[in-house]
Amino acid sequence: MIIKSTKASQRRRCRWGSTYIWWASLILISAWVMFMNTNQLNNINAADTTTKHNSTSTNIEISETKPKPNQIKKTPANMNPKELAKILRAKEVERLGGVPKSKRINRDTSGDRGSTVDTAKALAIKMRSSQDEDPIKENLRVIITGMEHSGTTITGRLIMNAPCLIGATETGYLLAKTPKKIHSVLPWYNWNIDNGNDSGNDRKRMMYLLKEDDYRDMSAAENFSEMYKILRNRSHLFNDLNDFYDDGRECEKPTQIVDKTPRYVWPEHFENILIKTPGVPVIVVKKPFKDMRTKQTKEFYDEVYNNVDKMKKRYPNRIIILNYDEFINDPETIMECIFEFVGLTWKSEYLKMSRLKKKFSAFPDVVKQIGDWEFVPGGHSPEGPTKFH
């Protein structure tokens, strides 16, 4: 009995000893937590008096003291991938001559979807103020595109009245992935080649009339900027035309290219065209679907111009939409805005194709053909003598 009593006492002492240790540990842990909370509160109070927060700043700042939880500042280390990508994209847009979304010009929605006058002057200022110049702009002055039969040809003809500018009825070379692939861009390759018996063909006189050797050298170019330079040096449009005016201004022959190609606006091509031609202004002609002679569906039409709206936001200040109905109703005002966007000076006489006729003055039959494109109030657009529209 004595032995059993001793063992029972030992068990009771062990249980009480374990209980004492557990409570002591709990008290120590609670004291440590209270100490840490007190220390953190002191740090937060100190941060309130020492941290300066500028809510309008776009730079990432790191405070010397620990801020309140709802004031923790974003750094690349604590941002999620989407936030970091958004900041990096904004900085890249600003570096390339654009502006962040918060600083973009205020334009009403109707202007983004078709109005020409509302946005042209503001866009022209931004185009001219861009600091990033690309060599391609020395040779390629403007791109004109839009769905087939939307009014791209009359727009191109009017732009080509400006001094020093000319281009083929259609170019199409930017549809190639690289200059090396321009031979595969059909039918544009065939339209612009001189087969040896085309020099007397008036319709072909308004194309580039390139030789096989010219195409070989163009396809060997390192980039499209160099390709356009070779094109400018080789095509008869930059060597046989007269661009000298009575007052002696400007240039004796055309020196810059107007690339008019409706196919560029197709969704699978449009952004690639913009990437290949940094800084070059792009005119997109838009005619109401009900007024177009096209085999394309309304669904494709909507897809094309919805994509244009998307690219306008992605590449700010590079694209202007020429609303064809506005042009027909007020050609002087609309073309003055378009010319300003490209950095040119509009003259009313261009509606009669006066300067473009002068450039082709050595080819009377071509001059007659150009005359078919004179603007006739209430009677436009002409069909013209060629299949290229």
Coordinates of all heavy atoms in Angstrom, one line a residue, residues 10-46:
Q10 N 3.5 10.5 -7.1 CA 4.4 10.9 -8.2 C 3.6 11.3 -9.5 O 4.0 12.2 -10.2 CB 5.4 9.7 -8.5 CG 6.4 9.5 -7.4 CD 7.3 8.3 -7.7 OE1 7.0 7.5 -8.6 NE2 8.4 8.2 -6.9
R11 N 2.6 10.5 -9.8 CA 1.8 10.8 -11.0 C 1.1 12.1 -10.9 O 1.1 12.9 -11.8 CB 0.8 9.7 -11.2 CG 1.4 8.4 -11.8 CD 0.3 7.5 -12.4 NE -0.6 7.0 -11.3 CZ -0.5 5.9 -10.6 NH1 0.6 5.2 -10.9 NH2 -1.3 5.6 -9.7
R12 N 0.6 12.4 -9.7 CA -0.1 13.7 -9.5 C 0.9 14.9 -9.6 O 0.6 15.9 -10.3 CB -0.7 13.8 -8.1 CG -2.1 13.0 -8.0 CD -2.8 13.4 -6.8 NE -2.1 13.1 -5.6 CZ -2.2 11.9 -4.9 NH1 -2.9 10.9 -5.5 NH2 -1.5 11.6 -3.8
R13 N 2.1 14.7 -9.1 CA 3.1 15.7 -9.2 C 3.5 16.0 -10.7 O 3.7 17.1 -11.1 CB 4.3 15.3 -8.3 CG 4.1 15.6 -6.8 CD 5.5 15.6 -6.1 NE 6.1 14.3 -6.2 CZ 6.0 13.3 -5.4 NH1 5.1 13.4 -4.4 NH2 6.6 12.1 -5.5
C14 N 3.6 14.9 -11.4 CA 4.0 15.0 -12.9 C 2.9 15.8 -13.6 O 3.2 16.7 -14.5 CB 4.1 13.6 -13.5 SG 5.6 12.8 -12.9
R15 N 1.6 15.5 -13.3 CA 0.5 16.2 -14.1 C 0.5 17.7 -13.7 O 0.4 18.5 -14.6 CB -0.8 15.5 -13.7 CG -1.1 14.2 -14.4 CD -2.6 13.8 -14.3 NE -3.1 13.7 -12.9 CZ -3.0 12.6 -12.2 NH1 -2.6 11.5 -12.7 NH2 -3.5 12.6 -11.0
W16 N 0.7 17.9 -12.4 CA 0.7 19.4 -12.0 C 1.9 20.1 -12.6 O 1.9 21.2 -13.0 CB 0.7 19.5 -10.5 CG -0.7 19.3 -9.9 CD1 -1.2 18.3 -9.2 CD2 -1.8 20.2 -10.0 NE1 -2.5 18.4 -8.9 CE2 -2.9 19.7 -9.4 CE3 -1.9 21.5 -10.6 CZ2 -4.1 20.3 -9.3 CZ3 -3.1 22.1 -10.5 CH2 -4.2 21.5 -9.9
G17 N 3.1 19.4 -12.6 CA 4.3 20.0 -13.2 C 4.1 20.3 -14.7 O 4.5 21.4 -15.2
S18 N 3.5 19.4 -15.4 CA 3.2 19.7 -16.9 C 2.2 20.9 -17.0 O 2.4 21.7 -17.9 CB 2.6 18.4 -17.5 OG 3.5 17.4 -17.4
T19 N 1.2 20.9 -16.2 CA 0.3 22.0 -16.3 C 1.0 23.4 -16.0 O 0.7 24.4 -16.7 CB -0.8 21.8 -15.3 OG1 -1.5 20.6 -15.5 CG2 -1.9 23.0 -15.4
Y20 N 1.8 23.4 -15.0 CA 2.6 24.6 -14.7 C 3.4 25.1 -15.9 O 3.5 26.2 -16.2 CB 3.5 24.4 -13.5 CG 2.7 24.2 -12.2 CD1 3.3 23.5 -11.2 CD2 1.5 24.9 -12.0 CE1 2.6 23.3 -10.0 CE2 0.8 24.6 -10.8 CZ 1.3 23.8 -9.8 OH 0.6 23.7 -8.6
I21 N 4.1 24.1 -16.5 CA 5.0 24.5 -17.7 C 4.1 25.0 -18.8 O 4.5 26.0 -19.5 CB 5.7 23.2 -18.1 CG1 6.8 22.8 -17.0 CG2 6.5 23.5 -19.4 CD1 7.4 21.5 -17.3
W22 N 2.9 24.4 -19.1 CA 2.1 24.8 -20.2 C 1.6 26.3 -20.0 O 1.7 27.1 -20.9 CB 0.9 23.9 -20.3 CG 0.0 24.2 -21.5 CD1 0.2 23.7 -22.7 CD2 -1.1 25.0 -21.5 NE1 -0.8 24.1 -23.5 CE2 -1.6 25.0 -22.8 CE3 -1.8 25.7 -20.5 CZ2 -2.8 25.7 -23.2 CZ3 -3.0 26.4 -20.9 CH2 -3.4 26.4 -22.2
W23 N 1.1 26.5 -18.7 CA 0.7 27.9 -18.4 C 1.8 28.9 -18.5 O 1.6 30.0 -19.0 CB 0.0 27.9 -17.1 CG -1.4 27.4 -17.1 CD1 -1.9 26.3 -16.6 CD2 -2.5 28.2 -17.6 NE1 -3.2 26.2 -16.9 CE2 -3.7 27.4 -17.5 CE3 -2.7 29.4 -18.2 CZ2 -4.9 27.7 -17.9 CZ3 -4.0 29.8 -18.6 CH2 -5.1 29.0 -18.4
A24 N 3.0 28.5 -18.0 CA 4.1 29.5 -18.1 C 4.4 29.8 -19.5 O 4.7 31.0 -19.9 CB 5.3 28.8 -17.3
S25 N 4.4 28.8 -20.4 CA 4.7 29.0 -21.8 C 3.7 30.0 -22.4 O 4.0 30.9 -23.2 CB 4.8 27.7 -22.6 OG 5.8 26.9 -22.0
L26 N 2.4 29.7 -22.1 CA 1.4 30.6 -22.7 C 1.5 32.0 -22.2 O 1.3 32.9 -23.0 CB 0.0 30.0 -22.2 CG -1.2 30.8 -22.8 CD1 -1.3 30.7 -24.3 CD2 -2.5 30.2 -22.2
I27 N 1.9 32.2 -21.0 CA 2.0 33.6 -20.5 C 3.2 34.3 -21.2 O 3.1 35.4 -21.6 CB 2.3 33.6 -18.9 CG1 1.0 33.1 -18.2 CG2 2.7 34.9 -18.4 CD1 1.1 32.8 -16.8
L28 N 4.3 33.5 -21.4 CA 5.5 34.1 -22.1 C 5.2 34.5 -23.5 O 5.6 35.5 -24.0 CB 6.7 33.1 -22.0 CG 7.3 32.9 -20.7 CD1 8.3 31.8 -20.7 CD2 8.0 34.2 -20.2
I29 N 4.4 33.6 -24.2 CA 4.1 33.9 -25.6 C 3.2 35.1 -25.7 O 3.3 36.0 -26.5 CB 3.4 32.6 -26.2 CG1 4.4 31.5 -26.4 CG2 2.8 33.0 -27.6 CD1 3.8 30.2 -26.8
S30 N 2.2 35.2 -24.8 CA 1.3 36.3 -24.8 C 2.0 37.6 -24.5 O 1.8 38.7 -25.2 CB 0.2 36.1 -23.7 OG -0.6 35.0 -24.0
A31 N 3.0 37.6 -23.6 CA 3.8 38.8 -23.3 C 4.6 39.2 -24.5 O 4.7 40.4 -24.9 CB 4.7 38.5 -22.1
W32 N 5.1 38.2 -25.3 CA 5.9 38.5 -26.5 C 5.1 39.1 -27.6 O 5.5 40.1 -28.2 CB 6.6 37.2 -27.0 CG 7.5 37.4 -28.2 CD1 8.7 38.0 -28.2 CD2 7.1 37.1 -29.5 NE1 9.2 38.0 -29.5 CE2 8.2 37.5 -30.3 CE3 6.0 36.6 -30.1 CZ2 8.2 37.3 -31.7 CZ3 6.0 36.4 -31.5 CH2 7.1 36.8 -32.3
V33 N 3.9 38.6 -27.8 CA 3.0 39.1 -28.8 C 2.6 40.6 -28.5 O 2.6 41.4 -29.3 CB 1.7 38.2 -28.9 CG1 0.6 38.9 -29.8 CG2 2.1 36.9 -29.5
M34 N 2.3 40.8 -27.2 CA 1.9 42.2 -26.8 C 3.1 43.1 -27.0 O 2.9 44.3 -27.4 CB 1.5 42.2 -25.3 CG 0.2 41.5 -25.0 SD -0.3 41.4 -23.2 CE -0.4 43.2 -22.9
F35 N 4.3 42.7 -26.7 CA 5.5 43.5 -26.9 C 5.6 43.9 -28.4 O 5.9 45.0 -28.8 CB 6.7 42.8 -26.4 CG 8.0 43.5 -26.8 CD1 8.4 44.6 -26.1 CD2 8.8 43.0 -27.8 CE1 9.6 45.3 -26.4 CE2 9.9 43.7 -28.2 CZ 10.3 44.8 -27.5
M36 N 5.5 42.9 -29.3 CA 5.6 43.1 -30.7 C 4.5 44.0 -31.3 O 4.8 44.9 -32.1 CB 5.6 41.8 -31.5 CG 6.8 40.8 -31.2 SD 8.3 41.6 -31.6 CE 8.2 41.7 -33.4
N37 N 3.3 43.9 -30.8 CA 2.2 44.8 -31.2 C 2.5 46.2 -30.8 O 2.2 47.1 -31.6 CB 0.9 44.3 -30.7 CG 0.4 43.0 -31.4 OD1 0.8 42.7 -32.5 ND2 -0.5 42.3 -30.8
T38 N 3.0 46.3 -29.6 CA 3.3 47.7 -29.1 C 4.4 48.3 -29.9 O 4.3 49.5 -30.3 CB 3.7 47.6 -27.6 OG1 2.7 47.0 -26.9 CG2 4.0 49.0 -27.1
N39 N 5.4 47.5 -30.3 CA 6.5 48.0 -31.1 C 6.0 48.4 -32.5 O 6.4 49.5 -33.0 CB 7.6 47.0 -31.1 CG 8.9 47.5 -31.8 OD1 9.3 48.6 -31.5 ND2 9.4 46.8 -32.8
Q40 N 5.2 47.6 -33.1 CA 4.6 47.9 -34.4 C 3.8 49.1 -34.4 O 3.9 50.0 -35.3 CB 3.8 46.7 -34.9 CG 3.3 46.9 -36.4 CD 2.6 45.6 -36.9 OE1 2.2 44.8 -36.1 NE2 2.4 45.6 -38.2
L41 N 3.0 49.3 -33.3 CA 2.2 50.5 -33.2 C 3.0 51.8 -33.1 O 2.7 52.8 -33.7 CB 1.2 50.4 -32.0 CG 0.3 51.5 -31.7 CD1 -0.7 51.7 -32.9 CD2 -0.5 51.3 -30.5
N42 N 4.1 51.7 -32.4 CA 5.0 52.8 -32.3 C 5.6 53.1 -33.6 O 5.8 54.3 -34.0 CB 6.2 52.5 -31.3 CG 5.7 52.4 -29.8 OD1 4.6 53.0 -29.5 ND2 6.4 51.7 -29.0
N43 N 6.0 52.1 -34.4 CA 6.5 52.3 -35.8 C 5.5 53.0 -36.7 O 5.8 53.9 -37.5 CB 7.0 51.0 -36.4 CG 8.3 50.5 -35.7 OD1 9.0 51.3 -35.2 ND2 8.5 49.2 -35.9
I44 N 4.3 52.5 -36.6 CA 3.2 53.1 -37.4 C 3.0 54.6 -37.1 O 2.8 55.4 -37.9 CB 1.9 52.3 -37.3 CG1 2.1 50.9 -37.9 CG2 0.7 53.0 -37.9 CD1 0.9 50.0 -37.7
N45 N 3.0 54.9 -35.8 CA 2.8 56.3 -35.4 C 3.9 57.1 -35.8 O 3.7 58.3 -36.2 CB 2.7 56.3 -33.8 CG 1.4 55.7 -33.3 OD1 0.4 55.7 -34.1 ND2 1.4 55.2 -32.1
A46 N 5.1 56.6 -35.8 CA 6.3 57.3 -36.3 C 6.2 57.5 -37.8 O 6.6 58.6 -38.3 CB 7.6 56.6 -35.9

